[in-house]
Every structure is written in structure tokens, then in C-alpha cells.
Amino acid sequence: MIQTLQQISTIADMRVHIQEARRQGKKIGIVPTMGFLHDGHMSLAKAAREKCDLVVMSIFVNPLQFGPNEDFERYPRDIERDRELAQSGGVDLLFTPEVTEMYPKPILTNISVSNVTELLCGKSRPGHFDGVATVVTKLFQIVQPDFAFFGQKDAQQVAVVTQMVFDLSMPVQIVPCPIIREADGLAMSSRNVYLSQEERSEALVLSRSLKQAEAWLAEGVALPEIQKRMIEMISAMPLASIEYVEVLRYPDLVPVEQPIPGESIIVALAVRFGKTRLIDNLITYV
Amino acid sequence: MIQTLQQISTIADMRVHIQEARRQGKKIGIVPTMGFLHDGHMSLAKAAREKCDLVVMSIFVNPLQFGPNEDFERYPRDIERDRELAQSGGVDLLFTPEVTEMYPKPILTNISVSNVTELLCGKSRPGHFDGVATVVTKLFQIVQPDFAFFGQKDAQQVAVVTQMVFDLSMPVQIVPCPIIREADGLAMSSRNVYLSQEERSEALVLSRSLKQAEAWLAEGVALPEIQKRMIEMISAMPLASIEYVEVLRYPDLVPVEQPIPGESIIVALAVRFGKTRLIDNLITYV
């Protein structure tokens, strides 16, 4: 039997499907996305397909998580192409609500997670993770998933959602999935489409610098020194403008002088090329 | 068959019961309380019993919703008595987690609801409704109720929870239940036990002033005038210290000069007698 994707755009419709799936004892997986799908998203769908009986992918460009001067309006959208990709990726239900369906009135409820949001993107994008935590909670309430799949490219998002699920005892297991990269190393992102050829070429410094950092970590180079060397490396690119480069303990995202063996370390960066903000990271044991 | 109450103190145990109930297609109702049960709580249990197949009552004195100078420590507790009352009130599962079970580590996630928390208790107890919204969400995640029963005595709490459920599309229906009063009019509250005989006697002014307000509303007296008269009436009591007396539109809790016919109005008050803070209210159509 060929599996057929169903596209659903209202919360009420989704509830009907979820109730039926629950009644049948199906394990439900959700892959929350903002659409304009790439292989990173597809790897999440694949992981969900392997673990769950019903795979729900949401496509929702969530205005709550964009700052006033960010790219909410111009964020790339292509629902036709997304639908085909979702179908071929084994998604059962594609949830594509309009903003007015998700927020029929101005939303008065806000969810915030402290500590893990203090640095990195939490620092440079105030309110961003409140928007993420709030919409993810809302999606969880609608879809009632047993598993939720998130890409490690947004490592801080994974940390925030994991903390929230723990704190609120949400009956869902967060499944972080590895970063998927282009052949030349660039981390896949819907925003890569913004890049000019020159910017795209210079942006390879990001994954290169992370690979270097991994080697330096293995050699035992001090964390502040690694940070310094990476900043030098990236700054050498004429079009690059660094927002942050941080080496922190993972998953609590706090600065440490020198890691204790057995701890995880995240090397994380956000760099602008022209108007395009890219993030990338590497998580490793030491 | 005599129904037997089961007391459960861990989240993991509760999940086992809830999963089984869900599998059987049972309708689940929750009555969230802080214990020291009185007839107000029992009326909620009764409403839940009538509407649901599985009635869960939680007893948890939630530290998050108490301010630093409030009565968290001395809040009255009597779990033996509560268990007997819950049993006789038709409760199936009594959820009595310790603080360390609900918050094994300091909780980093906070839920806040704006607008409806600006006045009344939200103004005089900063952070209180964040604590309420957060713990109610956590209880909803653990118990996964179809219905949740709240007393209208905490009218602003009902407004906050209703707003949150709407905003986050929580799959639960909030059922507000009427205030239950002692024979002489005093609204039932676990905190009434704090009152001295003299305070208890003076506190009757609260329900009396609300009854008066209802009559004045019916006569078309202007809202600010009603507020003024109530303040005079209550201030006449030597032991009374008014925290607020407000006449607002319900359920959005905003001040209005004169209500439009068909709108609901809440007359709400918080008054201290000695160290004891009492609240009461009246909701009426005009």
C-alpha cells in the first residue's frame, strides 16, 4: 500500500486524526519545522518513521520567535515542494496552519526557560526562545506526540525544549538528530538560499573552523584559546560578521575554564554573511 | 461495588494509571487542590464524578505560587482527613506528590499569562499566577485530563487558566464551579481556619457587601460608586484591612465605566483580617 500524505490546516481537524490514532494505540511522532524543507528535515522525518506509527510534520513559520528586525516576512516558503518532499519522506500528516489558526487572537500566554537561554542565540535574539517554547508547547498540545524530533543544528533549541519537557513533565520524548551538511561541509539550513555565491563560498569557514576546534579540543587546547583562534579564522573572511563564537559545557550551556573528562562541550557560532545569519555547532565529549 | 480511593505520590505511578485509563477510553477529570479540603472542594469532586469516568484529585501546596512573605509554610495540611473526604467524595486517584517529586531540581520553565493578571490578586501577589499557570500545566501534562474543575472563588485563577488553555490549545475543558459558602455567607476557604472568633465574625462583611453590590448593580448604580460604598462598608470593621475592592468586566478583568447590557461584571475583593487574607467575589450579568 502506498502511504498517502494528508495535509491538515486546522487544529480541530488535527485533533480528530490524533484522537483516532490514540484510540488505536499508535505511537505518534512530530517533526516541527518552518518548512522550505531540506535534507536536514528529511533526516528527522526518517528518524520519526523508524520510531513511530504516525508521523506528523508541522510547517509553521512562527511569528513569535522572530524579532522585529528579523526575516519573518521574507523567510522562504514553498509549500508545494514541501508537500512532495514530505510525501516521499514518509510523513503521514502534514500540519500547515495559518498564523490566524494558531493565534486567532493576540496570544497572552508566554513560556520562558531561564539559564540555558542566557548565552548564544538567547542573548542575541531576545524573546526568540520564548517564542520557540510557546509554539512547541502548543504543537505538543495539539498533536500529543510520544516523540518529537529536533535537529542538533539548533542545539540551544534542543536544550531549551528538553529542559521545558523535563520541568513540565510533558509526556513526550525529545529525540535530537545529527546536523546534516552539504558535501562541502555547510550545515543545511533553509536560510542558505539567501546566500550569494561569494557569501556561500566564504561561509565554508564555519564548518572548517568547527573541525579545527574539534582537533584543538582533542589536543587539550584551553577553551578560551580555541574561541580566540576560531574568531581569528572566521574574521579573516571579508564578508563575515561574527555575532558569537562560544565554547560551553553542554547541555547546560555554561562557560567553563577547562572541561572535566566525560563532560560534553559545545562549540557554537552565529555569523552573518551580508544579511544572512548562519549558525553551526559541534558537540563533543572530552 | 464500593469504589476505592488510591493514593499516588509519584509522577511515574500516575502515568501508569493514566495510560491504562486512556487505553480504556475513559474520560478523565482533574480537581487540582492544595488540600485541607472543605465543601468547596467536594463540590468540584462531585461535578467531576458526574462528568468523568476517572476522577483525579491532586493535593499539592505549590511553593511557586506563594510569595516570600506568604503562608506557604503554615498553610494548613491534614492528609489523613483529606483522604477520607476524597474517598467519600468519589475520587478515584488522589495525587499527593512531595515538592521534591514535582520539582526535583529548581524549575527553569515559567508560564505567564498577561492582561488578566494585571489587577486584583495578580497585582497584589506578583508571580502568583505564574506559579499557578506553571503548576496547572504540569498537572495537566501528568494527568492528561479531558476536564478540569476549578472553583469560582478563585475567579482570576479561572480566568488565567481558561486563557492559557485557549492560547496553548490544551486538550482540556475548564469547568468553573460556583462558590460554596458557610450557612452565614462566608465563602469556604482552607484559610478560614486561621481566623479568630472575632475576625471570623467581622469577615461576614465580605459576603454581605457583595450581596449589597448585587442589589446596587441591579439598581444601575455606577460601578465606581459601588466600589466606594463597598470600601466604606468593609472599612467600618475595625479588624479589616482592604487589599482591593474592584468592579470589573468579566472574564477579561478590565475596568469599565458602565457595563453594556449582556456583559458580565465581577465584583471582587481581598481583605485581611489580622494575618489572614480572604478573597471573595460575585459574578453577575447586567
Side-chain angles (χ1 to χ4, degrees), chain B residues 61 66 68 72 108 174 205 214:
Chain B
V61 185
F66 286 80
F72 172 68
L108 303 181
I174 302 303
V205 73
E214 192 170 23

Side-chain angles (χ1 to χ4, degrees), chain A residues 210-247:
Chain A
L210 288 170
K211 258 199 147 24
Q212 272 292 353
E214 193 169 23
W216 291 326
L217 277 166
E219 289 166 23
V221 178
L223 305 190
E225 174 65 20
I226 292 178
Q227 183 190 31
K228 189 170 150 268
R229 291 186 193 174
M230 288 183 72
I231 290 173
E232 278 167 17
M233 207 174 149
I234 296 166
S235 302
M237 294 294 151
L239 301 176
S241 159
I242 294 175
E243 198 173 89
Y244 65 76
V245 174
E246 299 273 10
V247 189

Side-chain angles (χ1 to χ4, degrees), chain A residues 99-120:
Chain A
V99 171
T100 50
E101 175 69 11
M102 288 290 273
Y103 309 124
K105 299 183 205 172
I107 185 165
L108 303 181
T109 304
N110 183 63
I111 303 185
S112 63
V113 180
S114 55
N115 294 24
V116 290
T117 53
E118 269 165 32
L119 299 173
L120 310 179

Side-chain angles (χ1 to χ4, degrees), chain B residues 156-232:
Chain B
Q156 194 172 17
Q157 172 171 278
V158 171
V160 166
V161 172
T162 302
Q163 180 69 44
M164 176 180 79
V165 163
F166 174 82
D167 282 344
L168 299 179
S169 300
M170 291 179 168
V172 56
Q173 190 182 322
I174 302 303
V175 185
C177 299
I179 297 176
I180 305 294
R181 299 180 179 281
E182 304 285 355
D184 58 10
L186 185 69
M188 293 215 182
S189 164
S190 304
R191 289 188 171 98
N192 289 351
V193 74
Y194 296 149
L195 296 168
S196 71
Q197 211 180 336
E198 208 181 348
E199 289 165 349
R200 170 80 182 64
S201 162
E202 285 198 8
L204 294 178
V205 73
L206 304 184
S207 54
R208 259 200 334 267
S209 72
L210 288 169
K211 261 203 143 27
Q212 273 290 352
E214 192 170 23
W216 290 327
L217 278 165
E219 288 167 23
V221 179
L223 304 191
E225 173 64 20
I226 291 177
Q227 184 189 31
K228 187 167 150 274
R229 290 186 194 176
M230 287 182 73
I231 290 173
E232 277 166 19

